[in-house]
Amino acid sequence: MDDATAGQGVEVRWQASTLEVAGTAGPLALRQCLPVDVRVRGQVVVAAAIGVPQRFYTAFSQWLAAHGYAVTTFDYRGHAESLHGPLRKAKANLIDWAADCTAVATHLRIQSPSLPLYWIGHSVGAQLPGMNSTPMPIDGLLCIASGSGYWRDNAPPTRRKVLLWWWGIAPLITSVCGCMPGKKWGLVGDLPAGVIWQWRKWCMHPNYGIGVEGEPLRKAYAAARYPLHAFSIEDDEMMSWRSTASLVSWYRNCPQSLERLRMLDTPQRRIGHFGFFRAQMERSLWPRALTVLERWLDGNTQMTPKGQPPAGHGTTFTKIERSAVAAPKQSGQGELFSEIS
């Protein structure tokens, strides 16, 4: 166990564990952060973006734990601390990662059945929960910088170069290496070949995974009934407002809302695809996530009527209009699939 101090001087404690999941080459690596002297009111899972190790979410997890939540992070099979053996031999795709999500949620629900369980998904971490035929046993889904990966719906900085990635760089590297050893090139991260090939196929289809996998995936998303709140990031270099609205529409039977986070609300006037979870956002953005969790904890899940909204329309969304004042572009903004250390 490792002790740390987070939010307002509250002591928190980390504990590492493993979880055996059927079909994996080895157990999933889990880390849980607990408040030491504060009563635990609920559980939270922070699910990573593609290619991002769970330790990237350490500061945010400690901050949530200091506010009374038991926070769990994990690495998907074949990635980071859940990789067992050579990367080129790792057998995993996105559907497998969705099964990992269900296994983690089920494990935590069994461990603490009396506590509510909330899922915070970053990018692909918010796509995966709806993919299993049996809905995950969670009490709310908070989507951060997530959306459909369809390339035409990508934000402009990514859309301008993504075809080169999907038709040139990614297939070439994956074919030659038998995996995506992207970390050394600053591309995505180290990923199993199965993840790359399936992700590529989905990103080429207007309906993303549902368009490729068909009716079973559509029905899986429709089976979810937990409340959903999505944060669309104004300067997200990967996910546009349209792509996030598309993601929300897949969960068509969930009470749902979609909120825009603005650059001008942050100290650096920059958020981007990864910035929400950086320590600098403790005072500006992290309280927005806590507000959603607290609302759910109080039993308030009636955000919008159920039903599938048309993509690109805000009639069933809580929309915060972007400011007319543009923030200056900063160094590194718009780089494709930047690796997170």
Side-chain angles (χ1 to χ4, degrees):
M1 288 190 181
D2 297 321
D3 291 347
T5 301
Q8 301 180 354
V10 176
E11 186 180 359
V12 298
R13 178 167 296 178
W14 282 98
Q15 181 172 5
S17 63
T18 58
L19 177 63
E20 297 287 346
V21 178
T24 60
L28 301 183
L30 277 63
R31 301 174 74 227
Q32 188 171 54
C33 189
L34 296 161
V36 174
D37 297 317
V38 175
R39 180 177 65 88
V40 174
R41 300 178 298 142
Q43 300 184 90
V44 172
V45 176
V46 181
I50 208 163
V52 179
Q54 62 176 311
R55 291 183 182 271
F56 175 68
Y57 304 94
T58 294
F60 177 68
S61 299
Q62 291 178 172
W63 184 85
L64 278 182
H67 286 82
Y69 292 90
V71 184
T72 298
T73 61
F74 70 102
D75 289 313
Y76 308 111
R77 70 181 75 179
H79 178 249
E81 295 177 43
S82 295
L83 172 63
H84 304 281
L87 180 62
R88 66 181 180 278
K89 293 186 177 180
K91 304 297 182 184
N93 59 29
L94 294 171
I95 298 296
D96 294 327
W97 283 8
D100 294 345
C101 293
T102 296
V104 170
T106 302
H107 170 69
L108 294 173
R109 179 64 84 188
I110 292 172
Q111 274 195 330
S112 303
S114 63
L115 291 175
L117 175 59
Y118 305 119
W119 193 274
I120 297 180
H122 179 204
S123 196
V124 77
Q127 297 173 7
L128 299 172
M131 293 183 184
N132 289 286
S133 57
T134 301
M136 290 202 333
I138 60 176
D139 298 296
L141 170 61
L142 176 57
C143 312
I144 298 178
S146 187
S148 167
Y150 175 49
W151 75 273
R152 289 186 184 275
D153 287 343
N154 288 149
T158 293
R159 192 169 65 243
R160 285 192 289 266
K161 61 187 79 171
V162 75
L163 288 183
L164 174 61
W165 165 255
W166 284 129
W167 288 102
I169 298 171
L172 177 61
I173 294 175
T174 306
S175 296
V176 170
C177 300
C179 60
M180 170 51 69
K183 187 174 181 179
K184 63 183 178 182
W185 290 301
L187 297 170
V188 184
D190 293 342
L191 296 171
V195 170
I196 287 291
W197 292 126
Q198 189 172 51
W199 189 25
R200 178 185 183 274
K201 186 179 294 186
W202 289 7
C203 288
M204 292 295 103
H205 197 288
N207 292 322
Y208 194 57
I210 292 176
V212 175
E213 307 301 329
E215 196 62 20
L217 202 58
R218 188 185 305 277
K219 289 181 177 179
Y221 278 109
R225 295 293 190 277
Y226 36 76
L228 178 153
H229 190 93
F231 287 148
S232 171
I233 310 296
E234 182 181 31
D235 64 330
D236 191 331
E237 63 273 19
M238 294 180 66
M239 298 294 181
S240 66
W241 172 269
R242 181 181 177 86
S243 69
T244 303
S246 181
L247 167 73
V248 171
S249 75
W250 303 340
Y251 293 93
R252 62 179 182 268
N253 289 313
C254 292
Q256 55 191 227
S257 58
L258 173 55
E259 181 179 348
R260 192 73 152 170
L261 300 185
R262 302 182 303 164
M263 296 179 289
L264 294 180
D265 292 336
T266 66
Q268 291 77 25
R269 302 296 190 265
R270 166 81 176 123
I271 307 173
H273 191 64
F274 301 101
F276 182 95
F277 296 96
R278 300 192 185 281
Q280 300 95 316
M281 304 302 181
E282 176 180 346
R283 295 182 180 273
S284 56
L285 296 185
W286 292 359
R288 306 281 280 270
L290 184 62
T291 296
V292 175
L293 298 180
E294 297 291 309
R295 185 170 65 227
W296 291 342
L297 199 62
D298 291 339
N300 182 3
T301 62
Q302 297 180 357
M303 292 175 287
T304 62
K306 294 181 180 180
Q308 183 171 351
H313 292 72
T315 55
T316 61
F317 298 142
T318 301
K319 180 175 181 180
I320 298 179
E321 296 290 347
R322 66 174 65 189
S323 170
V325 181
K329 186 172 182 177
Q330 299 186 13
S331 177
Q333 184 172 342
E335 293 178 359
L336 179 62
F337 305 133
S338 299
E339 167 66 10
I340 296 299
S341 59

